Amino acid sequence: MECPNCGFQNYDATECTYCGRILNTAEEPAAVTEIRDAEFYFLKGEEHRTRKELQMAISFYIKALQINPKHSNSFFHMGICQSDLGLHEEAIKIYKHAIEIDPDNSDAYYYYIGISHSDLGLHEDAIKSFKCAIEIDPDNSDAYFNLGISQNRLGLHKDAIKSFECAIEIDPDNSDAYYYYIGISHSDL
């Protein structure tokens, strides 16, 4: 069977031996093949993202989304790449779209929206996003920690101390939370 993706001739294979695309077989409906193809491109994007080849990773996430426009992991990781490239406004738009198509994982999306807002210096917006993430997942130590960072930057030191305490209670090994907690609680408020 000839691979529709790369044209390589495969014999008795369900996956192209050249590019890895799942080949449509008589037993497998086309919709299943499309989902696997989207997952294939997503995983290729992940390979590039882990090597810090962010533009290449984004191009694979886009290919995955062309096949399956509701592939939320592609949106999520494309947002991470945009953020790593310093394109925080674009990352926020992507995370918000991911919330629309995958509300079950919105705690992670809100957390990363908060990170992007914080990186932009928009700490009031970051606080709102971290609180949304915490409301969905009250055991998210990182969200409490970053909430405390944004509160501290706005001069809300007592609130920041409470957030760091929560982060430490959830994750006693969170050394960053201890560092900020000790630094703020021992300063002149």
Side-chain angles (χ1 to χ4, degrees):
M1 168 183 283
E2 184 175 304
C3 176
N5 191 51
C6 68
F8 187 78
Q9 188 64 40
N10 294 276
Y11 300 98
D12 298 322
T14 57
E15 183 177 322
C16 178
T17 54
Y18 183 74
C19 74
R21 180 183 173 130
I22 304 299
L23 301 173
N24 196 9
T25 63
E27 303 85 37
E28 187 173 40
V32 173
T33 303
E34 286 181 7
I35 292 170
R36 286 191 184 156
D37 283 346
E39 190 67 15
F40 168 77
Y41 287 115
F42 166 72
L43 292 172
K44 294 299 278 183
E46 283 297 276
E47 287 176 24
H48 289 283
R49 186 175 70 85
T50 59
R51 292 193 305 254
K52 303 292 184 202
E53 299 166 349
L54 303 178
Q55 292 293 355
M56 184 62 77
I58 290 169
S59 70
F60 279 104
Y61 298 140
I62 290 170
K63 284 182 182 182
L65 291 166
Q66 289 169 340
I67 294 166
N68 180 0
K70 294 189 178 205
H71 196 270
S72 59
N73 278 335
S74 291
F75 277 112
F76 179 55
H77 290 93
M78 185 165 48
I80 292 171
C81 288
Q82 296 287 7
S83 184
D84 288 347
L85 290 167
L87 304 171
H88 300 291
E89 294 94 350
E90 187 63 28
I92 291 168
K93 290 177 193 172
I94 292 168
Y95 296 138
K96 286 181 177 180
H97 187 72
I99 291 169
E100 291 173 16
I101 62 171
D102 185 20
D104 291 340
N105 290 311
S106 59
D107 58 317
Y109 308 137
Y110 280 117
Y111 172 77
Y112 279 93
I113 289 170
I115 294 293
S116 288
H117 278 133
S118 180
D119 287 343
L120 289 167
L122 303 172
H123 295 290
E124 290 171 357
D125 291 332
I127 288 170
K128 290 176 191 172
S129 296
F130 292 132
K131 285 183 176 181
C132 285
I134 291 165
E135 185 176 316
I136 297 164
D137 179 9
D139 293 327
N140 188 333
S141 174
D142 291 332
Y144 277 107
F145 170 73
N146 284 289
L147 172 62
I149 294 290
S150 287
Q151 290 167 326
N152 188 47
R153 290 201 175 132
L154 290 177
L156 305 170
H157 304 296
K158 290 183 182 186
D159 291 336
I161 289 171
K162 289 177 189 172
S163 295
F164 294 134
E165 287 173 345
C166 289
I168 292 165
E169 183 179 322
I170 294 165
D171 180 9
D173 295 328
N174 189 334
S175 59
D176 290 334
Y178 279 109
Y179 174 81
Y180 280 92
Y181 173 76
I182 291 169
I184 295 171
S185 62
H186 287 90
S187 68
D188 294 330
L189 298 177

